[in-house]
Amino acid sequence: MNEHIEIEYKILLSKEKFFSILKYYQKQINHDYIQINYYLTHPILEEKKYMLRIREKDNHFEFTLKRPFQNHILETNVSLNTQEKDDILQHHFISNEITDILRNEGIDILDLKNQFSLTTHRYDILLKEGILSLDYNTYLNQQDYELEFEVYDEENGYLKFLEILQMFQLEYHKNCPSKISRVFNTIKKEG
C-alpha cells in the first residue's frame, strides 16, 4: 500500500489549446500512455465525497481510494493482479488495505457498483515543481481535454501552474470538476 497527499491544480481545455500546449512541450514529454479508470460507486462514497477506482495502465492494475484531507486529497493505492481486479468488478470478496478502510466506513465491497469507465490518453511532462499531465479523456460518447499539474510543494507548484497558464492565455479560478464528477454530470444530463 502507498499513501500520499495529492496536491494538484487542473483545468479543462479546448481541443485547440490542448494541442497547442502539447506541441509546446513535445520534446519534454516523459511518458505517453493510455489508462482506463473503472469507477466504483456506493451511496456512502458519494455522501463522504470519496472516489474509488481501479486503474489499468500498461497491463497493471491499481486500486485507489481518494478522500478529502486538509483542503487536498489523501490518496491510498494498492496494486492488484488481474484476478483481484476481476473479483472486485464481479462483486466477489477480496481483502486488502482499501477494502479494510471501506468496511470501517460501513461499505461492503460486494455492494460496490461499476457503472462506467473513462479512458485517458495521458502525456506526462516532468517539471522541477511536479508532473504536468495533458489528458485526452473519452467516456459515455463524450470527450474532453484537461491539464493537470500534480505538485510537490503547494506554493511553488501553484506559482508555476499560473506561469504555465499565462503562457497560453488561460485563467484559473478553481479546479475543474474531477473526471468522475464529469462522468456523473453526463449521466444526469442524459438521464
Side-chain angles (χ1 to χ4, degrees):
M1 177 179 86
N2 120 8
E3 209 165 57
H4 69 277
I5 305 296
E6 180 183 74
I7 305 171
E8 72 177 6
Y9 304 101
K10 56 188 179 176
I11 64 167
L12 289 171
L13 301 170
S14 68
K15 182 177 182 178
E16 294 74 27
K17 285 287 184 189
F18 177 86
F19 284 105
S20 173
I21 297 169
L22 187 61
K23 183 177 179 184
Y24 179 85
Y25 283 106
Q26 191 68 48
K27 292 183 177 162
Q28 290 177 263
I29 293 171
N30 174 266
H31 197 193
D32 159 18
Y33 52 94
I34 303 287
Q35 62 188 27
I36 302 171
N37 291 339
Y38 301 94
Y39 291 105
L40 299 159
T41 60
H42 188 280
I44 295 175
L45 290 171
E46 191 174 344
E47 175 188 312
K48 291 182 175 281
K49 299 191 181 337
Y50 289 5
M51 188 282 305
L52 186 65
R53 73 166 180 239
I54 296 173
R55 174 171 283 169
E56 180 178 351
K57 179 173 103 176
D58 298 330
N59 294 316
H60 296 293
F61 302 97
E62 186 174 61
F63 197 25
T64 300
L65 175 63
K66 293 187 180 190
R67 297 171 279 169
F69 182 80
Q70 300 176 352
N71 295 324
H72 297 293
I73 300 291
L74 176 61
E75 183 174 309
T76 306
N77 297 294
V78 174
S79 291
L80 300 174
N81 61 39
T82 304
Q83 185 60 55
E84 290 168 325
K85 183 264 304 181
D86 291 343
D87 284 346
I88 293 170
L89 294 178
Q90 295 170 10
H91 306 287
H92 298 174
F93 179 80
I94 74 159
S95 182
N96 61 37
E97 292 89 341
I98 290 178
T99 61
D100 292 346
I101 292 168
L102 295 174
R103 258 191 305 285
N104 288 337
E105 298 276 359
I107 300 168
D108 187 334
I109 190 163
L110 302 180
D111 293 335
L112 295 173
K113 292 191 177 10
N114 170 235
Q115 299 170 291
F116 46 80
S117 64
L118 179 144
T119 300
T120 299
H121 188 168
R122 174 168 278 186
Y123 302 85
D124 284 337
I125 299 118
L126 299 183
L127 301 175
K128 183 178 67 171
E129 298 82 2
I131 301 171
L132 183 68
S133 298
L134 289 162
D135 291 349
Y136 166 56
N137 304 299
T138 56
Y139 53 95
L140 303 173
N141 298 316
Q142 301 290 316
Q143 60 185 13
D144 65 35
Y145 302 87
E146 183 178 15
L147 181 142
E148 286 188 5
F149 193 29
E150 188 167 346
V151 301
Y152 307 125
D153 173 79
E154 185 173 2
E155 191 173 325
N156 290 332
Y158 181 68
L159 292 174
K160 181 64 176 180
F161 181 66
L162 293 179
E163 181 185 312
I164 292 166
L165 295 185
Q166 188 177 18
M167 286 184 345
F168 296 98
Q169 295 83 44
L170 294 165
E171 290 185 21
Y172 176 76
H173 302 287
K174 65 178 185 173
N175 280 353
C176 65
S178 66
K179 289 175 174 68
I180 190 171
S181 295
R182 298 197 308 266
V183 175
F184 274 135
N185 289 339
T186 300
I187 290 171
K188 287 177 187 171
K189 283 181 200 169
E190 292 178 356

